[in-house]
């Protein structure tokens, strides 16, 4: 049985390295994209402080559709270009929003959210979806969070069969 190791010591970067090591362990014997996406959300939501939501949206045609997540019930469909998720997806770049109320078109799935980080899932330049994190604290996410979450997404994309996630 996999037991997540608490990762409380060291610098923030070191904690992200330790989490990535645990994620690689989870993915070592499993390549199912849905299972790996689900376990990534459980591991990171449990380990990272001050989050109220963490999850995937996968691309279906011209919209993002809700995938595995941790947190409150969320919006199911987001059009490309809409909200923080749709903007990160259309622009194919990570977006860090220190204050969601100042982001034009932000979609408030959970009224508790104050800041947000969205990493696009890009496989050989092709958009497959996004990983979205929300925090109840303003300016919760910095460059270390961005790098740590981009590394997790990279590992997920490298280790998982994605064809059934994004038909
Ligand atoms: N806030 C996001 C919508 C998704 S939820 O936060 C889970 C957005 O503006 O795209």
């Amino acid at each position: 049985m996999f037991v997540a190791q608490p990762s409380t010591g060291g610098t923030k970067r070191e904690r992200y390295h330790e989490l990535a090591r645990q994620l690689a362990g989870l993915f070592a014997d499993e390549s199912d994209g849905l299972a790996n996406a689900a376990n990534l959300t459980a591991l990171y939501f449990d380990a990272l402080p001050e989050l109220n939501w963490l999850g995937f949206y996968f691309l279906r045609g011209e919209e993002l559709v809700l995938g595995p997540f941790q947190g409150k019930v969320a919006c199911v469909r987001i059009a490309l270009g809409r909200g923080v998720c749709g903007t990160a997806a259309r622009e194919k770049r990570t977006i860090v929003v220190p204050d969601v109320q100042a982001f034009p078109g932000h979609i408030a799935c959970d009224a508790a959210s104050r800041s947000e980080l969205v990493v696009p899932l890009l496989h050989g330049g092709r958009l497959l979806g996004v990983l979205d994190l929300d925090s109840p604290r303003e300016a919760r996410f910095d460059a270390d969070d961005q790098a740590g979450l981009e590394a997790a997404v990279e590992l997920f994309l490298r280790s998982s069969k994605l064809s059934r996630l994004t038909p």
Side-chain angles (χ1 to χ4, degrees), residues 60-100:
R60 298 268 189 278
E62 286 300 298
E63 58 186 4
L64 297 166
V65 178
L66 186 64
F69 70 94
Q70 305 272 312
K72 285 193 178 160
V73 167
C75 337
V76 174
R77 292 170 190 275
I78 299 175
L80 284 185
R82 290 222 35 232
V84 186
C85 291
T87 304
R90 193 180 58 191
E91 297 181 4
K92 294 186 176 178
R93 66 180 178 93
T94 298
I95 296 186
V96 179
V97 180
D99 174 5
V100 293

Side-chain angles (χ1 to χ4, degrees), residues 52-55 57 64 66 69-70 72-75 78-79 82-88 97 100 103-110 113 115-116 118 130 132-134:
N52 58 309
W53 204 88
L54 184 155
Y57 282 89
L64 297 166
L66 186 64
F69 70 94
Q70 305 272 312
K72 285 193 178 160
V73 167
C75 337
I78 299 175
R82 290 222 35 232
V84 186
C85 291
T87 304
V97 180
V100 293
F103 188 93
H106 167 256
I107 303 163
C109 291
D110 182 344
S113 299
S115 58
E116 185 158 355
V118 180
V130 299
D132 179 25
L133 289 87
D134 291 83

Side-chain angles (χ1 to χ4, degrees), residues 2-22:
F2 177 87
V3 180
Q5 300 299 316
S7 172
T8 46
T11 65
K12 197 167 174 180
R13 277 186 205 189
E14 285 165 350
R15 292 199 297 277
Y16 270 111
H17 276 130
E18 170 54 23
L19 267 178
R21 200 186 61 74
Q22 294 185 36

Side-chain angles (χ1 to χ4, degrees), residues 5 24 26 39-41 50 52 56 61 64 79 84 98 102 105-106 110 122 126 142 150 154-155 158 160 162:
Q5 300 299 316
L26 275 173
N39 260 340
L40 185 155
T41 66
E50 298 181 293
N52 58 309
F56 285 93
L64 297 166
V84 186
H106 167 256
D110 182 344
L122 298 171
R126 189 165 80 93
D142 63 13
E150 286 176 347
E154 218 24 70
L155 197 54
R158 255 204 333 267
S160 311
L162 305 161

